[in-house]
Every structure is written in C-alpha cells, then in structure tokens.
Amino acid sequence: MTEGGIAARSDLRGGAGWVGFGLLILIGSWRMERFESMGAQLYAMPGFVPGLLGGALVLLGAVLMLRGWTRRRHAARAGGAPEADDGPAPLINRRIAATLALTLAYAAVLIGRLPFWLATAAFVAAFVALYAPSEQRPARRLAVALLAGVLTSAVVTWVFQSIFLVRLP
C-alpha cells in the first residue's frame, strides 16, 4: 500500500479509537457523583476535568478521522482505485513504546519522589526533546524542551492549586 494509504488508514483507525476512548471517559465522568446536594460548583465536581479531557479526546479523534478520510479521498482521486490492505499495523511501535515508558516513569517513579512541579517539568521536557524534529540543532531542541517543561509545569500547578483547589503531591 502507498505511504499515503497507510497514513490514511492509520488516521481513520486511530481517530476512531480515540473517539471511542473519549466517549467512555465522558460517560464515566457523567456518571460520577456531582455533590449537588452539598452545593458543589460545576468546576469543583469530580467528573468535570475528566469530562473535559474526554470531550477533547472525542474532538481530536474526530479531527484525526477527518484527516484520514480527506487523505483517502485525495489518494483515490490521484491514483485511482485503492490498493490492497497490507494487514494490520503493529499495535506497539517505537514511538508508542517510548511514550508508554516516559509516562510510566513519570507516574511510577517521579510522582511522589519529587515535588509535582519538578516531576512534571522533567516529564514534559523529556517528551518534547524526544519528539522534537530531528533536523533541529541539539541546543535549540534542549532549550525548547526545557522552556516547554517549565511553562507547562507552572501552568498546570497554578490551575490545579488555584482554580481547582487541589493539593498536589
């Protein structure tokens, strides 16, 4: 199958997976106790943040599916009939394995052993450095990664502590 065809199929399948996962999160967050009888505000309800995240996953999954559908249409117009399916793509590739390893290291090793802001800054910086474009100079890659880590950590810490009134580890 052509590179465009593989990418289109991958976008369609991946997008559908993210939409499904987001819907499960939305359903779960909707079913959570709202504590309305105790006078809880909307943003303080336990299902609020998971609901926002689930909604974002649904939206971004739909965008990914739309991109795959558009790619498939353009490939069909340019090349005629679609080529045969080469079978399923591997479930775990190198990028997914690296993402899982970083996430598990963050959750199982860094959180609880370091202050939250430092663990989050290190995780985001490592993630950005790992997935930065390979043509970037190493100094620029490191500077962008550190800046992204520090800014993300500061914003996340402030939002959770000041808006959601959550004590972070």
Side-chain angles (χ1 to χ4, degrees), residues 116-126 128 142-158:
F116 178 82
W117 62 269
L118 182 58
T120 301
F123 169 72
V124 171
V128 169
L142 180 61
V144 168
L146 289 173
L147 183 64
V150 168
L151 289 176
T152 301
S153 176
V155 169
V156 167
T157 301
W158 179 79

Side-chain angles (χ1 to χ4, degrees), residues 12-76:
L12 284 168
R13 290 179 181 172
W18 286 114
V19 166
F21 184 54
L23 287 173
L24 287 174
I25 292 172
L26 275 172
I27 291 167
S29 68
W30 183 259
R31 297 177 73 193
M32 292 178 82
E33 176 64 44
R34 293 187 184 88
F35 299 111
E36 292 167 330
S37 62
M38 298 172 66
Q41 300 295 322
L42 173 68
Y43 68 86
M45 294 177 184
F48 180 71
V49 173
L52 288 177
L53 295 175
L57 287 177
V58 169
L59 177 67
L60 294 174
V63 168
L64 188 59
M65 288 177 65
L66 179 63
R67 184 175 86 164
W69 180 73
T70 303
R71 280 183 174 179
R72 186 164 271 200
R73 261 189 39 211
H74 287 301

Side-chain angles (χ1 to χ4, degrees), residues 63-136:
V63 168
L64 188 59
M65 288 177 65
L66 179 63
R67 184 175 86 164
W69 180 73
T70 303
R71 280 183 174 179
R72 186 164 271 200
R73 261 189 39 211
H74 287 301
R77 283 184 188 163
E83 297 180 26
D85 193 349
D86 290 338
L91 182 61
I92 303 290
N93 62 26
R94 208 171 63 214
R95 291 173 64 97
I96 292 173
T99 299
L100 288 172
L102 274 174
T103 305
L104 287 173
Y106 173 66
V109 177
L110 297 179
I111 295 294
R113 291 184 174 79
L114 295 176
F116 178 82
W117 62 269
L118 182 58
T120 301
F123 169 72
V124 171
F127 203 90
V128 169
L130 180 67
Y131 291 112
S134 58
E135 62 271 3
Q136 268 188 357

